[in-house]
Amino acid sequence: MAQVPETGRWQDLDFSEADVTSRSDDKYWDMLVDLSKQGKLDDDPILLRRVKSIAASLIRAAAAIKPEIAAWNWEIHTSSDPGIDAFCMAGGKLMVGSGFVHRLRLDDGELATLIGHEVAHAVADHHREFLSSVLHISPLPATSLDVTMSRLDSDLSLQIRMASLSRIQESEADQLGMIITHRAGWPAASMVSFYRKLVATEKPSTLAASHPLPTSRLSMAKGMAILLEP
């Protein structure tokens, strides 16, 4: 058992951090190779510079909350693959989709909010918690980490059963991400603006089951903004 920084929520972490980070590294690098072959990796140099600069400030702020992340081997990349919005895997493997950023016309403060949300997922150990929770929600005898990851990729019924935890983690990353982003010096108004843009661009999506409604996220952001800047 462990507690998420700042929120204090208890979580099951059955798989080791080293094992989950190692598998995440492998998956991330495989993806980088594929994207590079397609000419879709870091193909927007202006955005890449923005993302790296903003991410650096957020990582410093997050390290004040969880000091061990300063020693992670962070990787920061962008991609024009239309299927990528943004994510941060265990161990600090960040990816930002250029199409998503340009579609929402994110300014630097709004982009910081997006990246802060993804950094928060890594700080909160959400990937390891998600994999570990499979052992409790749908247990199989002597299930290895590799088998668990394979099941999550291929078992739709398991994905549906995991959706409630996913929504909890997304809400938590919204809140923790805003704390990190604010401590990095970005204004709360930019954070609210980001979530307002999510509402304005809302479309039917496969994210609906795994994410809170955009309107709920905007309400949360407004409330957090008041707490951060009374």
Side-chain angles (χ1 to χ4, degrees):
M1 296 286 286
Q3 278 186 293
V4 177
E6 295 294 327
T7 71
R9 182 177 64 84
W10 288 96
Q11 46 185 179
D12 292 310
L13 299 174
D14 297 271
F15 293 117
S16 75
E17 180 179 4
D19 286 346
V20 172
T21 298
S22 176
R23 300 308 194 283
S24 295
D25 285 352
D26 291 343
K27 193 170 183 178
Y28 186 79
W29 284 105
D30 286 345
M31 182 184 60
L32 292 186
V33 170
D34 287 342
L35 290 171
S36 181
K37 288 179 179 177
Q38 298 172 46
K40 296 179 179 178
L41 180 65
D42 297 336
D43 50 339
D44 185 336
I46 294 175
L47 177 62
L48 181 61
R49 285 195 296 271
R50 287 178 67 201
V51 168
K52 285 189 172 184
S53 175
I54 291 168
S57 71
L58 294 166
I59 292 167
R60 286 193 296 270
I65 295 172
K66 187 173 181 175
E68 56 263 41
I69 76 163
W72 288 356
N73 183 25
W74 285 85
E75 289 286 341
I76 302 168
H77 294 278
T78 63
S79 174
S80 58
D81 186 317
I84 294 175
D85 291 345
F87 62 82
C88 189
M89 300 172 75
K93 301 300 182 282
L94 178 68
M95 178 68 71
V96 176
S98 57
F100 182 75
V101 173
H102 295 315
R103 186 167 65 252
L104 269 65
R105 298 182 180 179
L106 301 182
D107 64 22
D108 283 356
E110 294 161 348
L111 181 57
T113 305
L114 170 65
I115 298 172
H117 170 94
E118 302 306 336
V119 169
H121 276 304
V123 169
D125 233 339
H126 281 167
H127 191 199
R128 182 155 65 119
E129 178 189 24
F130 202 78
L131 291 166
S132 298
S133 294
V134 173
L135 302 180
H136 302 275
I137 291 175
S138 181
L140 291 176
T143 302
S144 69
L145 177 56
D146 290 327
V147 170
T148 300
M149 294 178 74
S150 178
R151 290 182 66 202
L152 275 172
D153 286 340
S154 60
D155 189 337
L156 179 59
S157 65
L158 178 59
Q159 294 169 15
I160 293 171
R161 278 178 283 173
M162 296 294 293
S164 60
L165 174 59
S166 180
R167 288 191 294 271
I168 289 170
Q169 291 184 337
E170 291 299 332
S171 292
E172 188 167 61
D174 284 344
Q175 296 173 44
L176 180 56
M178 286 188 68
I179 292 171
I180 292 170
T181 305
H182 186 258
R183 292 183 182 178
W186 299 98
S190 291
M191 305 176 210
V192 174
S193 178
F194 170 75
Y195 288 101
R196 186 174 288 114
K197 286 186 175 182
L198 288 186
V199 172
T201 58
E202 179 184 10
K203 294 179 181 179
S205 161
T206 54
L207 294 178
S210 60
H211 286 61
L213 291 173
T215 50
S216 297
R217 300 176 76 181
L218 175 58
S219 295
M220 176 284 307
K222 290 177 178 178
M224 284 291 296
I226 294 172
L227 293 175
L228 293 171
E229 297 179 1

